Amino acid sequence: MAIQWQQLEEQPRLLLEAQLRPIQGNRFQPTGFPDLGTAKYEAPGANGKVDMVLVESAQSMANRLEAVCWDAGRDTVVDVLDGMPYVHVDLWEQGQTTNSIIEPHRLNSPYILESDDTTVLDKLKLRLADRERGQVDLQELARVLAEMDANSLLHGVFLAKRDLAGGRYRLPRALSAFIEATRVAPADSGGVKNDPVDPRGDRNKGFGNVPFHRTEYTAEGITAFFNLDLAQIRAYPLGTAGERFLIALALWKIRKFLETGLRLRTACDLVMDGELTVTRPADAFSVPSTAELETELPALIAACASEGIFGEPPVTRMTFKR
C-alpha cells in the first residue's frame, strides 16, 4: 500500500496511537527524573480521577526515534536512508565518531559547533548569521537543515550560538511522541546486595550487605502517542518532494520504533498489543507497513537530491578539535 497522500492534503496533524503491554508479566519500570523520580499524575476519568505515570518523555522519544536511523556496525545511516544528509564527526581518538543524528541536540552538539574545525559553523554563519536584529528567517533555516541535517526538520533544533543571530534560531519538533500508562498501581519490591566476605563492611566503599527498595508499576493500559505536525512540514520551503520525504521518514521511524525499539529499560520491555491506530484523520488514512515505506523512501531521497533540496555530498564531514 502506497502512502495515501491525498488523505493528508488538508490535515494539520496526523495523530497515531499504539497500545503496548509488558512482553513478560505485568510490571514495568517508567522513566525517572533526578529531581522528582517517577512522573506520577492524575487524569480526569468517567468515574473520577485516574492515576497515571509517564512511561517515556517526549525528549527521550525523540532520541529513540532517531536511533532507529543509525547502523552502528557500519557507522552510517541504515541502508534505506542512504543519501539523507547529516553531519559526521571524527573524534580525538582514532576510530571514534559521533554525528548529528545520534547527538542529543543534533546540529547544536558541542562536538559540531564548539570545535576548532569550523566546517559546519562557517556554513551556518554564511547562511544564517546576518540577522542580529529583526525576525530570524525560519524558512532559510529549514533550507539549511534540509541540506545539512534533514533529521532536524522532524525533531527540531535550537542553535544556541551567539554567532548565529544571537542564538535565536529555534525550530520546534514536527514529530513528537510520548508513552503514558493508565490506572497504575505501584509494585514495591526490593533486595539486598550481599557481601559474603564482610557483611558488616563499609557500605560507603562498596562493602557489606546493602538492602535496597524498588518500585515498579502495573497498569490497566499503556499507550504510545505520536503527533506529526503536517502544517509545520508544509510551511518548510521544500516543495512536494521534501514534504513527502519528511512524512514518509516520520512514519517509517514510528513503525521501526514500535517493531524494534520498545525495550526501553531492563525492567521496561514492551510489545505492541494490537495495531497502530490513526485517530486523526479518523477512518481516512492508513499507515503503510515498514516494508512498504522502505520501498518509497529511496525514491523520495533521490528526488530531494535531484531537486537540490539535499546537499551534495549529503554527508558533511568534520573533526572535533580543541
Side-chain angles (χ1 to χ4, degrees):
M1 176 182 65
I3 298 176
Q4 303 162 300
W5 299 113
Q6 68 281 3
Q7 304 298 334
L8 300 178
E9 288 177 355
E10 304 298 325
Q11 297 295 327
R13 303 282 188 279
L14 177 62
L15 305 183
L16 310 172
E17 295 181 10
Q19 299 303 313
L20 312 175
R21 59 175 173 80
I23 197 168
Q24 292 178 304
N26 298 290
R27 292 170 296 147
F28 64 92
Q29 178 189 19
T31 189
F33 300 89
D35 55 343
L36 57 82
T38 301
K40 297 178 284 187
Y41 49 100
E42 294 180 334
N47 299 310
K49 293 182 178 179
V50 177
D51 291 326
M52 310 279 294
V53 297
L54 181 66
V55 179
E56 205 69 6
S57 67
Q59 56 270 28
S60 177
M61 285 292 285
N63 295 335
R64 294 184 184 280
L65 289 165
E66 289 171 307
V68 301
C69 299
W70 195 251
D71 184 336
R74 297 195 309 150
D75 196 28
T76 186
V77 292
V78 295
D79 287 342
V80 72
L81 298 182
D82 279 342
M84 183 180 77
Y86 67 94
V87 176
H88 170 98
V89 185
D90 289 307
L91 297 174
W92 52 88
E93 294 291 343
Q94 186 174 5
Q96 293 189 8
T97 68
T98 189
N99 61 80
S100 59
I101 293 176
I102 64 173
E103 278 294 304
H105 298 289
R106 291 165 278 285
L107 277 185
N108 197 48
S109 164
Y111 298 106
I112 295 175
L113 296 187
E114 300 299 330
S115 173
D116 289 341
D117 178 350
T118 58
T119 298
V120 172
L121 182 58
D122 288 345
K123 289 183 178 181
L124 294 174
K125 283 182 178 180
L126 183 65
R127 300 281 292 277
L128 303 174
D130 61 345
R131 296 276 175 169
E132 292 303 317
R133 294 182 178 180
Q135 294 183 344
V136 293
D137 188 346
L138 293 182
Q139 290 212 325
E140 182 64 7
L141 175 61
R143 293 187 190 96
V144 172
L145 293 178
E147 293 174 18
M148 298 182 66
D149 186 35
N151 176 68
S152 290
L153 290 166
L154 285 179
H155 295 291
V157 71
F158 173 27
L159 297 177
K161 187 77 173 169
R162 187 175 296 276
D163 307 40
L164 302 171
R168 294 184 294 129
Y169 275 105
R170 299 170 183 248
L171 197 68
R173 293 187 182 103
L175 173 61
S176 56
F178 61 93
I179 302 175
E180 62 182 15
T182 306
R183 299 190 186 283
V184 298
D188 293 317
S189 62
V192 178
K193 189 280 291 182
N194 285 310
D195 183 347
V197 176
D198 184 5
R200 298 183 180 180
D202 187 347
R203 295 181 182 179
N204 293 324
K205 295 182 178 180
F207 299 101
N209 289 348
V210 182
F212 61 87
H213 176 264
R214 181 184 186 90
T215 300
E216 296 169 311
Y217 288 84
T218 62
E220 185 177 293
I222 304 174
T223 307
F225 296 90
F226 305 91
N227 183 328
L228 182 60
D229 192 332
L230 301 173
Q232 179 174 322
I233 290 174
R234 290 192 201 100
Y236 299 151
L238 305 178
T240 300
E243 175 186 326
R244 291 188 172 185
F245 165 72
L246 290 173
I247 293 172
L249 176 61
L251 295 176
W252 176 82
K253 284 173 179 260
I254 292 168
R255 282 288 194 193
K256 286 294 288 185
F257 168 74
L258 291 172
E259 292 171 5
T260 66
L262 286 175
R263 192 168 193 264
L264 307 179
R265 283 164 288 282
T266 300
C268 192
D269 196 354
L270 307 175
V271 66
M272 276 187 66
D273 189 9
E275 298 297 325
L276 181 62
T277 302
V278 179
T279 59
R280 178 174 177 178
D283 303 322
F285 181 79
S286 297
V287 180
S289 68
T290 303
E292 289 163 338
L293 291 165
E294 290 180 346
T295 298
E296 294 207 23
L297 276 168
L300 292 170
I301 291 172
C304 289
S306 66
E307 294 182 19
I309 298 168
F310 289 168
E312 179 56 41
V315 181
T316 301
R317 296 186 176 275
M318 61 170 289
T319 301
F320 177 69
K321 301 175 183 177
R322 292 302 299 269

